[in-house]
Amino acid sequence: MAFLEIKKSLPQLGVGLGLRRELAVETFANGDKIDWLEIIPENYMELGGAARERLDAASACFPLVTHGVNLSIGSTDDLNQEYLSALKKLLDKIDAPWWSDHLCFTSCDGVYMQDLLPLPFSKEASKHISSRIKYVQDFVQRPFLLENISFYMNVPGAEMSETEFFSQILEDADCGLLLDVNNVYVNSINHTFDPYRYLDQLPLERVVQIHVAGHKRIDDYLIDTHGSAVIEPVYELLEYVLQKTEVQAIMLERDQNYPDFAVLLDELSRLRQIANATGLFLDRQKLLGHKLNASESINLERIEEISQRGREVRALSA
Amino acid sequence: MPSLREIEKTLTTLWTNGEARRWFLAGATLEQAPDSVAELSAEMLPELDKRGIELYGNLIGYGHHDVLESIYPHCAFLLAGEWQSVMEDYFLKCPPVHYNLNRICQPFSAYVTEYGGKYLKRYPFLAELADYEWIELEKMEDPREVKRVGGENISGLEQIVGCAPVINPTLILRRYEYPLLEIVEKLEEGQKLPAKIKKSATVIAVFREADSHGAEFMELGETVVKLLEKTLSEKVSYQDLLLQFLADNPQSSPETGIVEFLEIIEELQSSCLLVGSRQLD
């Protein structure tokens, strides 16, 4: 089935947050204000102990989707079958309606750099990535979304613009788009382009999920840190996209420099207002379904106990 | 135009190899290039953005160093001023070949053993300390489920003959030449280590606790080690273990020996090295 047909059958998840160990207690405690959670699968694949218990609790309370950091879809290395098998097992366990990763490479010659690295906007890269996306979609048997990254240098070998490159891959692979509006903003400043024109050049009808985040200026660059408040121009880009297309989910990314949780709840509330203004996610009970009850009965002391120690991957790039 | 493969290899080398990056940023000629740049695409180099290469080099290095330091805080503390160069050398000698961020730090103890001669002279226990710090994380993340299965209390003859202990699936035994528990305790309390730490062979059980999911370290005596090694290596009943215990402790009367044995089993059960008992087929 073509992706745009599949998109029509995907559930409306609403406004969500990333499940992070440091925020776990507040996240569960505010289950009535958070519609769904995104997890970094590498923090849960083939891992037991506290990570698994936290995942089980989250799965009982919220719809979950994964947002990976090491699929390395743009790498010329063979796809890592061990990784894919572990990811598929996790996706099946949480019954994710879709999964996503980044338009980048993270490994070369088997070495994982653990960062989201830019690619040349070339025909060779486009063809290579499209074919790999088709393979992973077939293997995982769940809809795949590809996300635009923030990048801090242009890679030689470009034969087209970023939007042409991205669009060609999305069309050829026939997959979904995870649009990060903060990345669009950050790139528009670092590489001096009009972010609205950029958005107009993408097949926005393929957007299923949107990421919203904060960034930080370091020397001459804006860096996608996920460690600051969302700024107004980024909210405006979100608003612009929602006026053009219907999406299933919006997610606030926060990975460091955690503020009081009330600040994050305010940001989530703002995202909801913007979505509601375009007619999205108006029926919250329909979004949350039976999971709301599970959230109310969660043992927060236990969540706190199992979230004291550990180390998780962030969404990288900073 | 270089191929995608050549582009990725060139960028990766410049981002991850400090020597190659310094050469590139200095604008030196190909004749002056270090061996590590042999596979670079020469035609790409003039087109590369130096600030971008430097920024990604820093971001990747920071990510790698951050995780290594978070897993090995005691090693980092002891190596202090040299830690930065140790981290850089470690990732050159042991490139991160796993998709899981934490696992890229697994070979650090082996690295210290192979390349850390000068540090081992100062801290001869350093490789063991690195192993200790790694094992703590590994046990916390071990994918196997630690679950109490019942039958923790062994008292009657029927249970001794008809039941077998169930071992904590995450349990491993580590034999160290140095008193690691004492060393770690001093480091955690911020105490200065003695100038010379004498060898003192210890066996430490490392395992994940069923309820807290925390990694536990427990120093064991030889009698308990033998019981656990037997349990780990073959299917044994409590009776088999008891007979071994009595044979290894001929100084005790059989009655006293049985009581001592049951006390040990009770201790192993309560501390979660054993997670219950199962009926023998």
Side-chain angles (χ1 to χ4, degrees):
Chain A
M1 194 193 297
F3 182 79
L4 291 178
E5 281 302 306
I6 292 172
K7 181 181 169 182
K8 289 178 191 163
S9 65
L10 294 177
Q12 291 275 308
L13 295 189
V15 177
L17 187 66
L19 176 61
R20 303 290 181 262
R21 183 175 61 80
E22 295 88 338
L23 301 176
V25 174
E26 291 95 337
T27 300
F28 281 97
N30 289 281
D32 58 334
K33 301 179 188 75
I34 302 164
D35 302 333
W36 63 280
L37 297 179
E38 183 188 85
I39 61 168
I40 306 248
E42 288 84 353
N43 287 331
Y44 298 95
M45 285 153 60
E46 302 294 341
L47 299 184
R52 185 178 299 163
E53 187 175 338
R54 195 160 50 248
L55 177 69
D56 289 344
S59 187
C61 300
F62 299 92
L64 301 178
V65 300
T66 69
H67 183 52
V69 292
N70 263 325
L71 178 61
S72 200
I73 199 73
S75 172
T76 46
D77 287 354
D78 289 342
L79 283 161
N80 184 334
Q81 279 302 137
E82 183 196 346
Y83 174 91
L84 281 174
S85 297
L87 176 64
K88 180 170 167 46
K89 196 167 140 191
L90 175 68
L91 289 162
D92 290 345
K93 178 181 165 71
I94 62 173
D95 195 19
W98 63 77
W99 59 292
S100 63
D101 207 299
H102 304 82
L103 177 54
C104 69
F105 76 107
T106 62
S107 58
C108 182
D109 285 339
V111 173
Y112 281 87
M113 283 155 283
Q114 309 287 351
D115 211 326
L116 310 173
L117 304 168
L119 291 157
F121 303 141
S122 67
K123 289 175 193 162
E124 184 198 358
S126 164
K127 199 173 161 190
H128 175 69
I129 293 164
S130 303
S131 117
R132 281 158 73 97
I133 291 174
K134 283 180 190 163
Y135 176 83
V136 298
Q137 286 208 117
D138 274 355
F139 183 84
V140 170
Q141 288 291 304
R142 288 173 195 272
F144 174 71
L145 316 183
L146 188 63
E147 186 188 32
N148 57 307
I149 62 164
S150 290
F151 58 98
Y152 309 106
M153 64 178 280
N154 286 306
V155 177
E159 296 168 293
M160 57 190 104
S161 69
E162 188 200 355
T163 50
E164 286 167 332
F165 179 67
F166 197 9
S167 303
Q168 192 170 87
I169 291 169
L170 294 168
E171 303 285 350
D172 289 351
D174 194 25
C175 68
L177 168 50
L178 194 171
L179 182 66
D180 188 318
V181 287
N182 180 56
N183 288 347
V184 173
Y185 178 78
V186 164
N187 287 342
S188 77
I189 301 298
N190 289 336
H191 302 288
T192 328
F193 64 77
D194 176 357
Y196 292 94
R197 188 170 152 72
Y198 175 99
L199 291 172
D200 287 342
Q201 290 170 343
L202 287 177
L204 294 179
E205 68 278 9
R206 289 183 179 272
V207 179
V208 171
Q209 184 183 329
I210 296 181
H211 272 170
V212 181
H215 53 260
K216 187 178 178 185
R217 178 168 285 283
I218 299 175
D219 298 329
D220 294 339
Y221 297 95
L222 290 192
I223 305 282
D224 175 37
T225 56
H226 302 174
S228 311
V230 180
I231 64 167
E232 207 55 36
V234 173
Y235 283 122
E236 288 165 8
L237 289 176
L238 169 69
E239 209 168 347
Y240 183 76
V241 174
L242 294 184
Q243 282 161 1
K244 291 190 166 269
T245 192
E246 186 170 316
V247 305
Q248 274 69 17
I250 302 171
M251 184 251 180
L252 175 67
E253 290 187 293
R254 187 72 186 225
D255 290 315
Q256 55 175 308
N257 193 24
Y258 297 113
D260 190 291
F261 201 74
V263 174
L264 300 184
L265 290 176
D266 285 346
E267 290 188 326
L268 289 170
S269 172
R270 178 79 188 277
L271 297 180
R272 193 181 302 286
Q273 283 168 18
I274 293 170
N276 288 167
T278 62
L280 267 181
F281 314 148
L282 290 170
D283 186 349
R284 294 211 57 229
Q285 286 307 312
K286 199 174 162 191
L287 294 174
L288 290 165
H290 70 282
K291 300 249 175 179
L292 184 60
N293 297 329
S295 177
E296 282 170 349
S297 62
I298 200 77
N299 181 344
L300 293 177
E301 281 179 15
R302 179 65 186 159
I303 295 294
E304 185 169 14
E305 192 183 335
I306 62 170
S307 301
Q308 297 292 323
R309 289 189 300 174
R311 185 178 172 83
E312 291 180 326
V313 177
R314 307 302 176 207
L316 310 170
S317 267
Chain B
M1 189 168 74
S3 68
L4 180 59
R5 182 83 184 153
E6 288 169 325
I7 291 171
E8 290 183 348
K9 279 182 79 84
T10 297
L11 291 174
T12 299
T13 302
L14 294 175
W15 285 332
T16 60
N17 184 315
E19 184 188 43
R21 190 163 60 253
R22 284 187 286 274
W23 163 80
F24 171 73
L25 295 175
T29 63
L30 275 173
E31 288 73 39
Q32 298 167 299
D35 293 343
S36 52
V37 305
E39 290 187 80
L40 293 191
S41 163
E43 63 175 306
M44 250 182 90
L45 297 178
E47 295 181 58
L48 285 174
D49 165 15
K50 286 188 176 174
R51 289 193 319 152
I53 292 291
E54 189 171 22
L55 178 63
Y56 275 106
N58 289 339
L59 288 173
I60 292 167
Y62 175 77
H64 286 168
H65 296 180
D66 184 45
V67 68
L68 192 70
E69 189 163 320
S70 76
I71 294 172
Y72 299 99
H74 298 320
C75 292
F77 172 77
L78 291 176
L79 296 181
E82 289 151 303
W83 178 242
Q84 193 65 29
S85 59
V86 168
M87 289 195 290
E88 191 170 324
D89 191 54
Y90 167 72
F91 283 111
L92 273 181
K93 301 276 187 351
C94 308
V97 292
H98 202 281
Y99 63 79
N100 179 289
L101 183 63
N102 290 337
R103 305 250 174 102
I104 68 175
C105 302
Q106 182 171 13
F108 186 64
S109 175
Y111 163 84
V112 172
T113 302
E114 191 168 353
Y115 302 106
K118 72 171 179 175
Y119 309 115
L120 287 168
K121 273 187 190 159
R122 207 181 320 150
Y123 304 112
F125 54 84
L126 191 67
E128 291 189 349
L129 177 63
D131 180 71
Y132 180 103
E133 296 197 281
W134 171 256
I135 290 295
E136 180 176 21
L137 176 78
E138 186 175 271
K139 290 298 124 191
M140 283 200 297
E141 294 189 338
D142 193 313
R144 287 166 291 193
E145 187 178 15
V146 180
K147 192 175 168 184
R148 291 200 180 269
V149 297
E152 284 89 349
N153 298 319
I154 299 297
S155 51
L157 185 60
E158 201 176 305
Q159 287 167 297
I160 292 175
V161 175
C163 291
V166 176
I167 209 143
N168 182 322
T170 65
L171 173 69
I172 53 165
L173 301 178
R174 277 291 203 257
R175 289 182 182 275
Y176 292 125
E177 290 187 336
Y178 289 89
L180 259 290
L181 289 183
E182 283 174 41
I183 292 169
V184 170
E185 190 180 348
K186 284 191 191 313
L187 288 169
E188 285 179 351
E189 289 175 357
Q191 292 180 37
K192 200 174 174 196
L193 293 179
K196 185 168 170 56
I197 293 181
K198 286 182 187 167
K199 281 188 178 180
S200 169
T202 55
V203 181
I204 296 177
V206 194
F207 56 98
R208 189 169 73 231
E209 209 277 324
D211 189 52
S212 71
H213 300 309
E216 301 284 335
F217 293 80
M218 187 180 288
E219 190 168 343
L220 305 175
E222 270 310 316
T223 303
V224 177
V225 170
K226 285 179 82 171
L227 292 176
L228 287 173
E229 282 178 337
K230 193 172 176 65
T231 311
L232 282 164
S233 64
E234 57 187 298
K235 283 185 178 177
V236 286
S237 66
Y238 285 110
Q239 183 181 23
D240 299 327
L241 294 176
L242 174 60
L243 291 173
Q244 178 180 304
F245 180 81
L246 293 175
D248 290 343
N249 294 278
Q251 75 284 2
S252 300
S253 69
E255 293 78 11
T256 312
I258 290 171
V259 171
E260 287 171 351
F261 173 77
L262 290 175
E263 283 173 355
I264 288 172
I265 295 298
E266 191 180 336
E267 175 66 23
L268 294 178
Q269 294 281 5
S270 68
S271 55
C272 206
L273 279 85
L274 300 177
V275 290
S277 306
R278 63 177 174 81
Q279 289 285 334
L280 287 167
D281 300 332

